[in-house]
């Protein structure tokens, strides 16, 4: 390269460098006042970072009178005209709002996502701590779910919405879809419940077999000490032994597969939507709801449902023993529905949307969103 060309080349590099410097000076990142080591409030940071700023964004968190009491409903979405997705959490009492910042902000790019702290759960429990346990039953919870769905449809002017149920919420969801199929573009089940007693029995046997194969003396001793599990004659004894069974089921991957269950739980402590008091109430509500509803849950057998008149799509973790995925597969094969499909998540157990959030998002966008385009 000659001297003249070399000088021109250097001038071009100089101009490009100057332009880049101007760009950096003008950029928000360059002018940011955040410095390494600066103390920050993680909840405040997450609250701002996960909030859509558009004029048509939806952010509507409030208590709504449902079933005669104040119940917490959270509605979030990037665009007001997006299809609505109503999420029914598991447990009972296991509200997912504290952890949902890990995955639902991405859902909100395609759907307006509605989350509800059910009777006896989360913020709803905090608002109604003296609610008698007798007011919790599957039928009462199902009527609450009906009211929530009706409230959402009326408030946002929608004839149909997408209904999603997880675990215990999949009991309510499937029953609701059976009663009102014309309300829903689709029913989506995560960790779909079917025959509760058989699911518990299969989970116990698989966990004991895994412990035996691993020569885990402590696990074998503790699991054999609670036999028979489940005991059809004494559901309250099963409830007393549930902590032991779930401890070892989780240890052998039946709840969360090759992820840190503890880390996923602790992530909720950073939630921008839950205070420390809310979080403490969540734990109390979980114990309260489980005690009130467990005897009735153990008698649930949704395998008797042979027909649903709206599309049914199941998202199942291949390793789910908490709510047995093989039973969900067996049930779906005999179901009649306009559309039915099961998508396996090979690296998940019971918490599919937390364990494989990327695949969950892609699958919702690919399999569910098209059903809303009537």
């Amino acid at each position: 390269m000659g001297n003249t060309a070399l000088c021109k080349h250097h001038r071009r590099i100089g101009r490009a460098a100057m332009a880049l410097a101007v760009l950096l000076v003008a950029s928000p990142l360059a002018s940011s006042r955040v410095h390494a080591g600066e103390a920050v409030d993680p909840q405040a940071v997450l609250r701002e970072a996960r909030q859509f700023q558009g004029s048509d964004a939806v952010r509507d968190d409030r208590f709504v009178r449902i079933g005669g009491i104040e119940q917490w409903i959270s509605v979030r979405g990037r665009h007001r005209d997006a299809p609505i997705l109503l999420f029914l959490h598991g447990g009972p009492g296991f509200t997912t709002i504290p952890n949902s910042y890990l995955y639902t902000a991405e859902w909100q790019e395609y759907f307006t996502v509605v989350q509800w702290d059910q009777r006896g759960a989360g913020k709803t429990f905090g608002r109604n701590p003296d609610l008698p346990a007798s007011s919790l039953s599957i039928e009462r919870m199902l009527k609450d779910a009906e009211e929530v769905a009706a409230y959402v449809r009326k408030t946002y002017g929608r004839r149909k919405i997408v209904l999603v149920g997880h675990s215990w919420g999949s009991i309510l969801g499937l029953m609701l879809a059976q009663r009102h199929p014309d309300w829903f573009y689709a029913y989506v089940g995560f960790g779909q419940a079917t025959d509760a007693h058989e699911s518990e029995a299969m989970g116990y046997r698989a966990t004991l077999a895994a412990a035996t194969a691993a020569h885990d003396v402590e696990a074998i001793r503790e699991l054999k000490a609670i036999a028979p599990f489940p005991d059809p004659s004494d559901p309250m004894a099963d409830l007393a032994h549930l902590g032991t069974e779930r401890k070892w089921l989780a240890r052998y991957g039946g709840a969360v597969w090759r992820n840190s269950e503890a880390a996923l739980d602790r992530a909720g402590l950073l939630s921008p939507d839950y205070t420390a008091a809310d979080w403490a109430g969540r734990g109390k509500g979980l114990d309260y709801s489980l005690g009130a509803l467990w005897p009735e849950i153990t008698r649930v057998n949704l395998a008797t449902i042979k027909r649903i008149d709206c599309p049914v799509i199941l998202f199942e973790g291949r390793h789910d023993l908490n709510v047995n995925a093989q039973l969900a597969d067996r049930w779906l094969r005999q179901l009649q529905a306009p559309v039915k499909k099961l998508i396996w998540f090979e690296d998940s157990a019971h918490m599919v949307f937390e364990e494989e959030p990327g695949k969950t998002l892609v699958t919702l966008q690919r399999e569910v969103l098209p059903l809303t385009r009537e």
Side-chain angles (χ1 to χ4, degrees), residues 204 208 222-229 231 241:
Y204 174 81
L208 181 57
E222 290 193 8
L223 287 167
K224 286 187 173 181
I226 64 173
F229 185 92
D231 184 346
H241 296 148

Side-chain angles (χ1 to χ4, degrees), residues 62-277:
R62 67 176 70 183
F63 283 103
V64 177
R65 196 152 190 86
I66 299 291
I69 63 171
E70 297 292 302
Q71 303 201 36
W72 182 255
I73 296 177
S74 173
V75 185
R76 308 282 180 85
R78 171 166 280 177
H79 298 294
R80 186 169 291 274
D81 61 353
I84 288 179
L85 183 154
L86 170 60
F87 186 93
L88 307 180
H89 67 69
F94 194 75
T95 173
T96 49
I97 288 178
N99 291 71
S100 65
Y101 72 91
L102 293 172
Y103 51 88
T104 59
E106 289 74 19
W107 298 9
Q108 292 161 24
E109 296 178 25
Y110 298 95
F111 302 91
T112 296
V113 178
V114 180
Q115 296 187 85
W116 159 47
D117 280 4
Q118 299 165 18
R119 179 183 298 259
K123 291 177 183 281
T124 299
F125 177 80
R127 179 60 68 97
N128 306 277
D130 299 322
L131 199 66
S134 60
S135 72
L136 272 73
S137 68
I138 290 178
E139 183 59 29
R140 176 64 264 174
M141 303 290 277
L142 182 55
K143 287 179 179 177
D144 284 358
E146 282 182 311
E147 288 191 39
V148 170
Y151 164 80
V152 169
R153 293 170 64 238
K154 180 179 179 180
T155 301
Y156 296 94
R158 306 304 174 86
R159 188 174 66 85
K160 288 187 177 183
I161 62 177
V162 173
L163 180 65
V164 177
H166 173 237
S167 194
W168 147 257
S170 75
I171 295 175
L172 299 180
L174 199 58
M175 290 179 169
L176 188 55
Q178 185 184 37
R179 285 190 182 186
H180 302 286
D182 55 315
W183 289 7
F184 306 113
Y185 289 117
Y187 167 69
V188 181
F190 287 86
Q192 180 62 51
T194 50
D195 183 336
H197 178 83
E198 182 60 18
S199 177
E200 293 297 331
M202 291 174 72
Y204 174 81
R205 290 196 299 267
T207 301
L208 181 57
T212 301
H215 306 290
D216 189 334
V217 175
E218 182 183 5
I220 295 168
R221 176 177 56 79
E222 290 193 8
L223 287 167
K224 286 187 173 181
I226 64 173
F229 185 92
D231 184 346
S233 66
D234 192 355
M236 295 313 290
D238 288 345
L239 182 59
H241 296 148
L242 190 63
T244 297
E245 192 270 350
R246 288 293 194 266
K247 176 180 76 172
W248 295 112
L249 182 148
R251 182 73 60 85
Y252 285 98
V256 170
W257 179 254
R258 294 179 178 172
N259 286 276
S260 170
E261 184 178 18
L264 291 174
D265 285 343
R266 285 196 298 270
L269 295 171
L270 299 178
S271 172
D273 299 310
Y274 257 51
T275 65

